[in-house]
Amino acid sequence: MSLRRPPPPNPARTESQPYNIIPIQNLLADHPSLRYPEVRAAAAALRTVGNLRKPPYAQWHPSMDLLDWLALLFGFQKDNVRNQREHLVLHLANAQMRLTPPPDNIDTLDAGVLRRFRRKLLKNYTNWCDYLNKKSNIWISDRSTDLRRELLYVSLYLLIWGESANLRFMPECICFIFHNMCFELNRVLEDYIDENTGQPVMPSISGENAFLNGVVKPIYETVRREVDRSFNGAAPHSAWRNYDDLNEYFWSKRCFERLKWPIDLGSNFFVTSGSRKKVGKTGFVEQRSFWNIVRSFDRLWVMLILFLQAGIIVAWEEKEYPWKALKSRDVQVRVLTVFFTWSGLRFLQSLLDVGTQYNLVSRETLGLGVRMILKSVVAVGWIIVFGAFYGRIWSQRNSDLRRSPRDLSWSSEADRKVVTFLEVALVFVAPEILALALFILPWIRNFLENTDWRIFRMMTWWFQSSSFIGRGLREGLVDNIKYTLFWAMVLATKFAFSYFMQIKPMVKPSKQMLKLKDVNYEWHEFFDHSNRFSVGLLWLPVVLIYLMDLQIWYAIYSSFVGAGVGLFQHLGEIRNIQQLRLRFQFFASAIQFNLMPEEQLLNARENLEARRRIAFFSNSLFMSMPHAPQVEKMMAFSVLTPYYNEEVLYSREQLRTENEDGVSTLYYLQTIYADEWKNFMQRMRREGMEKDGEIWTTKLRDLRLWASYRGQTLGRTVRGMMYYYRALKMLAFLDSASEMDIKEGSRELGSMRRDNGLDSFDSESSPSKSLSRNSSSVNLLFKGHEYGTALMKYTYVVACQIYGAQKAKKDPHAEEILYLMKNNEALRVAYVDEVNTGRDEMEYYSVLVKYDQQLDKEVEIYRVKLPGPLKLGEGKPENQNHALIFTRGDAVQTIDMNQDNYFEEALKMRNLLEEYRHYYGARKPTILGVREHIFTGSVSSLAWFMSAQETSFVTLGQRVLANPLKIRMHYGHPDVFDRFWFMTRGGISKASRVINISEDIFAGFNCTLRGGNITHHEYIQVGKGRDVGLNQISMFEAKVASGNGEQTLSRDVYRLGHRLDFFRMLSFFYTTVGFFLNTMMVILTVYAFLWGRLYLALSGVEGSALADNSSNNKALGAILNQQFIIQLGLFTALPMIVENSLEHGFLEAIWDFLTMQLQLSSVFYTFSMGTRTHYFGRTILHGGAKYRATGRGFVVQHKSFAENYRLYARSHFVKAIELGLILVVYAAYSPVAKDTFVYIAMTISSWFLVVSWIMAPFVFNPSGFDWLKTVYDFDDFMNWIWYQGGVFAKSEQSWERWWYEEQDHLRTTGLWGKLLDVILDLRFFFFQYGIVYQLGIAAGSTSIAVYLLSWIYVVVAFGFFLMVAYARNKYAAKEHIYYRMVQFLIIVLGIFVIIALLQFTSFKFTDVFTSLLAFIPTGWGILLIAQVLRPFLPAILWEAVVSVARLYDILFGVIVMVPVAFLSWMPGFQSMQTRILFNEAFSRGLRIFQLFTGKKS
């Protein structure tokens, strides 16, 4: 039998209408998919219109089907109908193909298939009806065989969904629409008569585009007006309704009473401004405050605070072990004070509820207001009750002691009072006991939460608001036990460590400091009779670490648990080709098909990537995975990629253009991928290239593809995702091929491979030999049906939002996208078309296009009109949402623009999709998490650090979260979504402006809250690119940190914090916002420690304590323990080491870790902590989170000093200078610091932080220590500082524009944010207060007058500055001599003042320099406060502020530049830095130095 396949058939185009996947409009066409009886059966079922009453006022054709009937009845768009017709037919056909055994009559649609689909599609709707106690309008029983009615219900829902545009983010709004339209449909089907007209009843909306204009548009316009009120995200979240608020309006029955049907446009739902009648926030108010973290995770803070209190009380007894102290009844009674604290915390929680959620209270929600007030009253009541009963214990005890002072035992009467107190406490904790009982019996809790009986609603009213989501989230008993054991171990370790290593060592020094008498204060002391403030400063860093170190214990335990889970999954059993050879005899049976002479797999080239892929693929075959069905019986799926304006393919200019070092992108790629470039050139010569120069002419397309497949381009992503299609065609062939076919095919493949010198699946294959073309070797095997099967099972949609505009502008990106469509037949492009209707009005359409191989051009398939502009919230989720209607199948994999795929991994997709059939715990999966391989790790050491960190996060981190912790979310883009589950529950991301800036993770939150289940699977992987330069990485981390800052305000995080059980809540906290909060706490600990030491040194307390007793160092020791633990950062690196040793072996992991340390990875990770802290803290305090485009190029060029300064001045440099200043002042004035060893031991980690924050941007900057570049950079920096520029100057050109942009967050922040900012800025005045008393001129006085008189200096200095500024403005341009004279007079005056002070006071000449340490920080503090108070400052004063700010930035720039200049001047540092930055490439013998010297061989 011949293997050569005839050319693809030319379908009979009886209808010229282009189609997407199957030509449903012409079932007689010769299309491979139409050979399946299941397709014809589904299409035939839709045509059973029968005796349905034909809609009046519309022409009916015999060829019309049920969807056409619904469209004429309700006014749906024609292309929406065409799109959903294919969607429905494909799904039903695929579902019927999967039936085992197949139905008796394969030519008719199976009733069970349709019933199961209807139940799944409308599950959220029926849940919504139950929740609202509304009767469902699905008038059909589960045993009914009324196929037509079933089809009408699912078709109606799909048509509503397909045309709802942005309303798809509001699933219960769609339920409301469906409920009412379904009721009208039922009335038509049941032949109801309209009472008013006596005619058969008709829907309330009908006619052309009636659904869009009458239903979708009014609600869409409300969303749009609310977004306008957000002022592009600058307004507080509490001032406008986002998608969630509008959706949650449909969680109460008032939507039926107020909105009515047909929709009443006069309803207050549609009022957005100016009226008191408008509907406010619904369900939740997002208020910007640090208190959100306390409010959302109150159970965690209660646990930590109560243990801390109890621990201090017990440790205060100074017994060896806590149980010895607890033998004393006095201690036991003192421990009972935790109940005061607990009731106080409940009161705080009730106040936070009132303070943040008062906007929710309206006439309709009075019950909510009543409950808020009652909770506060009850909390206060408990405080009073506990106070009364506790007072009775001690009054009894005191009276007993008065009666018999020598008898220290407790009387039975006093004991009875204690028992009474405990009985009261038992009532107080009763709800917690009940929660514990329900935790042990999770199915009872789930039943109670999911049931809609009113009695249970009333019982739970006190504890939480009724909510449609977040009910029944408990896992099964086995999972409960697993994650409870995990957290029991973590908490036991944490509390043991905290008691013995943090709390206990602090007790003795604290007691001694409290007893300290006659402290010799060196300044004016306001509270000179108490050292409590000093004790508080000693405890502050310890308490901060106590609050955050659970993060470290989580990291340690999760690393080892993750390694254990990985071992059970057989991860890392085959790590290299040698181990594959050892297990090769089992490999053939594992792979289950014999495609090519297999020993060729083992002779992999020296290419490291090829070896890695083969090792992972072969290892994965020994891992546990579901059995793969035949392709015909697999689940269908789509891939969706959102694209905006990134690179598609590199252009000739991009490849040739050289940077300032003379290095082009192509030269860089040739150097990094030397072996692959050699292979590519060999292939080009074999394909007819005679001279190397032809690579830029006849072979230019091949060159561009070769380069693009090694960057982060759309071309690379599309090639990777099309491997699914190629794999499915091959697997479909193997499913039905005879042994003879396979042998012939193997021989043909082998000969092709020998001819080509490469595997035809290899990444080198050029599109001219791609599988979609007849010349491909693999295509020679195919008989025809493989095409049909693969097309039915797989679609790839790229959402190119602005493709229409790109085509209109003749943008090269549009041509390249067309090229990709032409060469990939399963690729579809969705975009938003903006059409000008001529009256300054625009119409917007969701359009789907493909490349028609017969017509040899791009054709438009569907054009669905939108109610208005696509982008109302965050752009990316709305881009995904508009394209989602064009995806097909049971599942959709979300793939980002920086991802890749591999042919061998694509073979396993069938296995992965089978996971949807298996239970994981109590539920089947709704998201299948997929592992990622970071392919950018070899670019530089920085890229390697980032990829190592990311790899441990996407492997070990996610593995532990999925099992045993059951709290994995959706963090990135290779995850596979249960498509119908998500499309009926709000889609695959959230889109509200700013609050959903990290749009992906909200899909995970939404999934968990709605009862979904997210699993993680490591036998399959997808490639992912990461940012490779420090500036790119920092912008990415800024985006993620800002996103987490916004998440803390969100309703999703609050609900998860309250609705999850205690241990899953802990897992959730420490792997999402808690990670960022604790990173910030590490930095705050350094601040607290250094500011505390500075206070103790300058006040004189430290000197007195040392003179009194040297055991103050015990407290110091306790703090130092913490400092080293935290700053080493070893435990945050632990997951990397453990995962690396699991997959590559222990010795290699240790070697990698040591190499990383030598390449200064600790500097990078410390710097990253600063980035996260700055942006997370600023976002919580002030808002201002925004999308930051990081760019995905290759970073081989030097970044200028000015660019680094702009990026890091506020987040790192200024903070590092502040900490450095504290360390210098402390070294100068602390008696402890006189001992050099003690000073070094105490401050080395802080100095490391300072150095990391200042030097990292230059250490990781190519040519960062090149002397000539450093000199040029400084000139460039000074030009930028002084550039005046006009209104249109950008921040890259003008310091002033940048300086104003750095204050943007102060424009969006509220009163509390500004107030807190001012309070924090006051710390800079402390330097002046502490140092002026140390000056010679103070003459040892500690009077407050010394400090007050020191302000004269500040005023005089500012006055002089104003005089110079005035003189410069008036005389500098024309009468320059006057300007010089003013300067001269001021200098002379200054000298006179200094001489007079030296002569007549105790002033010393060194005071001039010492006072700078006092007054420069004061000036900076005044500047920061002036920025906050800008609206109240007069213009002339503000100009002076700007001028002073410029001088400060020059000062900071010089401070940062000095060490950089010194290292640039030192010989050898530049080459050492290059070696550190590009060590990986060095070890591969590459010519990296040539990259930076431009000396091309």
Side-chain angles (χ1 to χ4, degrees), residues 522-536:
E522 295 182 12
W523 61 25
H524 180 76
E525 179 59 32
F526 293 98
F527 316 102
D528 54 350
H529 299 300
S530 167
N531 296 326
R532 286 179 182 172
F533 187 67
S534 302
V535 173

Side-chain angles (χ1 to χ4, degrees), residues 560-847:
F560 293 116
V561 170
V565 174
L567 281 171
F568 278 111
Q569 292 177 353
H570 304 289
L571 264 174
E573 288 187 358
I574 296 177
R575 294 173 183 154
N576 50 41
I577 300 296
Q578 287 70 31
Q579 289 178 340
L580 174 56
R581 283 199 171 97
L582 292 174
R583 298 188 66 165
F584 192 68
Q585 61 196 33
F586 309 108
F587 181 68
S589 59
I591 200 166
Q592 285 192 333
F593 57 81
N594 189 10
L595 183 62
M596 56 188 83
E598 276 190 321
E599 62 277 6
Q600 292 187 15
L601 270 177
L602 296 182
N603 299 329
R605 298 193 297 279
E606 286 307 303
N607 188 294
L608 296 174
E609 175 66 357
R611 286 169 165 267
R612 182 198 66 76
R613 280 170 56 180
I614 290 169
F616 178 82
F617 175 66
S618 47
N619 188 92
S620 70
L621 296 175
F622 295 96
M623 293 170 70
S624 171
M625 65 173 98
H627 182 70
Q630 288 191 328
V631 176
E632 280 184 17
K633 294 200 175 291
M634 73 178 278
M635 288 185 172
F637 74 106
S638 298
V639 171
L640 177 61
T641 297
Y643 166 87
Y644 187 69
N645 197 24
E646 298 89 341
E647 293 302 335
V648 182
L649 301 172
Y650 292 130
S651 67
R652 176 190 171 120
E653 288 68 34
Q654 284 170 307
L655 294 178
R656 291 192 87 152
T657 304
E658 297 182 346
N659 67 8
E660 59 194 38
D661 291 318
V663 179
S664 65
T665 298
L666 181 64
Y667 182 67
Y668 176 77
L669 289 170
Q670 289 168 338
T671 309
I672 294 289
Y673 302 106
D675 57 334
E676 295 177 25
W677 174 253
K678 194 172 101 189
N679 296 339
F680 171 69
M681 291 301 281
Q682 278 180 4
R683 180 156 61 90
M684 291 298 99
R685 290 189 193 102
R686 199 172 51 246
E687 290 180 6
M689 184 179 82
E690 293 176 2
K691 296 177 184 166
D692 286 1
E694 288 175 33
I695 204 78
W696 295 105
T697 53
T698 54
K699 297 294 183 185
L700 180 61
R701 174 69 74 179
D702 295 272
L703 174 68
R704 289 176 62 199
L705 288 166
W706 183 86
S708 301
Y709 292 160
R710 280 150 189 81
Q712 296 183 43
T713 59
L714 182 64
R716 180 179 191 159
T717 306
V718 168
R719 176 199 64 166
M721 295 310 129
M722 292 314 295
Y723 282 140
Y724 285 132
Y725 183 60
R726 293 164 66 171
L728 289 178
K729 285 199 292 187
M730 191 192 81
L731 292 167
F733 162 74
L734 291 170
D735 281 345
S736 59
S738 65
E739 202 173 323
M740 183 69 182
D741 290 347
I742 294 172
K743 278 184 182 171
E744 286 281 323
S746 279
R747 204 171 301 130
E748 185 130 11
L749 273 175
S751 67
M752 282 291 288
R753 194 176 187 285
R754 279 192 296 279
D755 294 345
N756 290 341
L758 51 86
D759 173 2
S760 67
F761 298 121
D762 190 87
S763 58
E764 307 300 324
S765 313
S766 70
S768 60
K769 289 218 182 280
S770 78
L771 276 163
S772 60
R773 306 296 287 267
N774 290 349
S775 60
S776 163
S777 56
V778 180
N779 277 14
L780 303 176
L781 314 177
F782 295 162
K783 299 191 292 295
H785 77 278
E786 301 85 5
Y787 279 95
T789 313
L791 281 168
M792 284 182 67
K793 297 297 180 183
Y794 177 64
T795 317
Y796 184 24
V797 179
V798 180
C800 301
Q801 186 177 333
I802 56 171
Y803 178 58
Q806 288 173 326
K807 283 195 291 186
K809 288 190 296 193
K810 300 279 194 292
D811 186 328
H813 285 102
E815 288 174 36
E816 289 153 6
I817 290 168
L818 180 65
Y819 171 81
L820 293 178
M821 279 196 281
K822 183 176 182 177
N823 286 278
N824 297 285
E825 64 185 320
L827 176 63
R828 303 289 181 265
V829 168
Y831 67 94
V832 177
D833 200 19
E834 302 181 3
V835 180
N836 195 327
T837 55
R839 298 183 301 279
D840 290 335
E841 288 182 9
M842 301 290 284
E843 287 186 346
Y844 300 85
Y845 296 87
S846 271
V847 180

Side-chain angles (χ1 to χ4, degrees), residues 1426-1453:
Q1427 289 173 19
V1428 177
L1429 303 177
R1430 181 187 171 188
F1432 310 107
L1433 298 182
I1436 187 163
L1437 199 58
W1438 181 249
E1439 282 176 26
V1441 168
V1442 175
S1443 301
V1444 174
R1446 181 180 271 111
L1447 293 182
Y1448 268 95
D1449 272 315
I1450 292 172
L1451 174 68
F1452 295 148

